[in-house]
Amino acid sequence: MSAKLLYLAPRGRKDIMTAVSFLCTRVQQPNVEDWEKLSRVLRCLKSTKEFFLTIFVDDITQMYSYVDSAHMAHHDLKGHTSGFICFKNGAFAAKSKKQRLNSNSSCEADLIGTGEYLKQITWARNFMIAQGYEMKPTIIFQDNESTIKLINNGRRSSSSKTRHIDNKYFYIHGKIIDGEIKTSFKPTDEMWADGLSKSLQGNRLVLFRNQVLNANIEN
């Protein structure tokens, strides 16, 4: 059943990707609580069958990406990367995945997550260029100002707390220099990738669904 949800989530129901991602880490050693979580996801899908993904395009040459990470989100204290790409509303590509290594801070987790998700952003940008579009720099939204400084300035903004970070996670700084991407700050309340790294409730969940599915959901 988890495999079926893993097929559905990234294609039409990106709002359940967080739950599916965490369930997939429990496939080999599931317990009663995991079964209850799976049942809740199935009940949610049954009660929201009318929800579906649509993509709204404001400017075909301008892509936006929301990227966020949850620090020490898993039982082994590893972080969780989340992100999606859109033209305005409605995500056409999204990711919710456990990070492969431990991090020392939320800033480091965000830098690792952005570096990992950059592959998806670069692929989407190159695909659009191959179709003949002259793409503007992709805008990456982040809610961590320290991470934004590390992305924009590279090692120049590195301190004793971040100098140990592997160089491969500063690859994104080269994309800034090449003019392929730009960073922009988003407050946490408007960081919609939050819904792909942690569970949301109430109005925050409704707003997240409206953004990622381009839906007009009221409750």
Side-chain angles (χ1 to χ4, degrees):
M1 183 58 70
S2 295
K4 293 181 179 179
L5 291 176
L6 192 60
Y7 179 86
L8 169 67
R11 290 166 175 81
R13 288 299 301 268
K14 293 178 173 62
D15 56 316
I16 66 167
M17 284 186 67
T18 306
V20 174
S21 177
F22 276 84
L23 284 172
C24 287
T25 66
R26 302 293 301 163
V27 171
Q28 293 184 349
Q29 294 179 321
N31 55 34
V32 176
E33 292 182 359
D34 297 325
W35 172 250
E36 177 57 30
K37 292 173 184 177
L38 175 60
S39 299
R40 289 179 63 183
V41 173
L42 296 177
R43 291 197 299 270
C44 173
L45 288 174
K46 183 177 180 180
S47 63
T48 58
K49 291 185 291 186
E50 71 278 9
F51 295 177
F52 55 88
L53 170 66
T54 58
I55 296 174
F56 174 76
V57 179
D58 186 30
D59 180 357
I60 195 68
T61 65
Q62 179 65 73
M63 291 193 301
Y64 305 90
S65 180
Y66 293 77
V67 185
D68 192 36
S69 295
H71 180 46
M72 296 194 300
H74 293 269
H75 69 280
D76 57 0
L77 304 184
K78 291 183 178 179
H80 196 90
T81 296
S82 63
F84 67 87
I85 310 172
C86 61
F87 288 106
K88 186 67 174 180
N89 294 332
F92 65 84
K95 178 179 182 178
S96 179
K97 187 177 181 180
K98 179 180 178 180
Q99 293 183 353
R100 297 181 180 179
L101 69 164
N102 297 93
S103 55
N104 292 315
S105 65
S106 58
C107 173
E108 184 178 343
D110 279 326
L111 181 64
I112 292 171
T114 306
E116 290 180 346
Y117 198 62
L118 181 62
K119 302 170 187 176
Q120 184 82 32
I121 297 171
T122 302
W123 171 84
R125 177 182 173 83
N126 290 342
F127 177 82
M128 294 301 296
I129 292 175
Q131 309 312 306
Y133 295 102
E134 295 184 7
M135 300 302 293
K136 300 174 183 176
T138 302
I139 298 177
I140 299 179
F141 294 117
Q142 258 288 341
D143 63 353
N144 191 315
E145 294 186 86
S146 295
T147 302
I148 291 176
K149 289 180 180 179
L150 286 172
I151 291 173
N152 290 339
N153 302 324
R155 287 289 182 188
R156 288 180 299 165
S157 289
S158 187
S159 66
S160 59
K161 295 181 179 180
T162 56
R163 64 181 56 166
H164 64 279
I165 300 176
D166 199 309
N167 281 330
K168 69 178 180 180
Y169 296 112
F170 286 96
Y171 166 70
I172 190 171
H173 177 60
K175 295 293 184 180
I176 293 279
I177 295 175
D178 294 340
E180 295 184 20
I181 62 172
K182 292 182 179 179
T183 57
S184 181
F185 176 76
K186 278 281 186 182
T188 301
D189 289 344
E190 298 177 19
M191 174 45 67
W192 306 121
D194 254 4
L196 294 173
S197 61
K198 57 183 73 73
S199 60
L200 302 178
Q201 297 180 352
N203 190 53
R204 285 274 290 155
L205 175 60
V206 173
L207 293 175
F208 164 69
R209 277 178 168 166
N210 287 345
Q211 178 68 33
V212 78
L213 297 180
N214 189 30
N216 187 17
I217 304 165
E218 296 182 354
N219 51 58

